[in-house]
Amino acid sequence: SLWSQGIFIGVVDGTNNSFSLPFAPSQPAALELFVDRIINYQGIGDDYTISGSTITFSTPPSLGQDIRYVCHQPSAALDATCIQERLSGVDSSNRVFTLSNVPYQHTSVRIYVNGFVMIQNYDYIIVDSTVTMTIAPILGQELYAVYSS
């Protein structure tokens, strides 16, 4: 897949909650959005929504926060779909989680715990649609996966 990264067009002043990308992602789930290097979650009731090339935060970023994105544009020849999903079953002892789809390539999978990116083959391994964490996430932590299928 092709990807691009950058910063948003918009004023980070603590009141503005609308920012523009220089393009509209082919699939909303193709966008990963980071505020101060922590991933934000996409969807109604989460951190932000996307419509075309416009990002709307549920709460405006604070003055001086760094807002960046990575956008994955799957190749049309691959017919891939970008997926973002929360993984359930976090209970302080469970280390094994299942993705809703088999990733196109295991290297396309990124796992986040409470917004912080984990390192594949160090913090977790993936076989087919099974993610095995090295250390079980603690009850209350959010486990989030981003990948192409």
Side-chain angles (χ1 to χ4, degrees), residues 30-146:
L31 183 74
E32 289 180 77
L33 176 68
F34 302 88
V35 176
D36 289 340
R37 298 184 180 217
I38 298 173
I39 195 165
N40 277 229
Y41 302 119
Q42 185 181 148
I44 296 172
D46 282 325
D47 299 316
Y48 72 96
T49 57
I50 181 170
S51 178
S53 63
T54 302
I55 302 297
T56 304
F57 284 94
S58 55
T59 302
S62 298
L63 178 67
Q65 284 190 302
D66 182 53
I67 305 170
R68 296 181 186 262
Y69 66 85
V70 175
C71 189
H72 307 270
Q73 302 288 82
S75 166
L78 298 178
D79 195 29
T81 300
C82 292
I83 298 170
Q84 294 187 15
E85 64 179 302
R86 281 190 176 86
L87 302 179
S88 60
V90 174
D91 65 3
S92 300
S93 63
N94 184 25
R95 293 179 35 238
V96 180
F97 302 89
T98 304
L99 301 173
S100 61
N101 295 279
V102 175
Y104 170 72
Q105 295 178 322
H106 76 278
T107 55
S108 79
V109 179
R110 285 162 314 286
I111 300 293
Y112 297 88
V113 175
N114 277 2
F116 292 95
V117 67
M118 300 291 103
I119 300 169
Q120 196 170 127
N121 298 322
Y122 180 77
D123 295 312
Y124 69 96
I125 59 169
I126 182 154
V127 177
D128 296 324
S129 62
T130 302
V131 175
T132 304
M133 302 296 293
T134 305
I135 298 171
I138 298 169
L139 182 64
Q141 288 184 323
E142 284 192 298
L143 190 60
Y144 197 72
V146 179

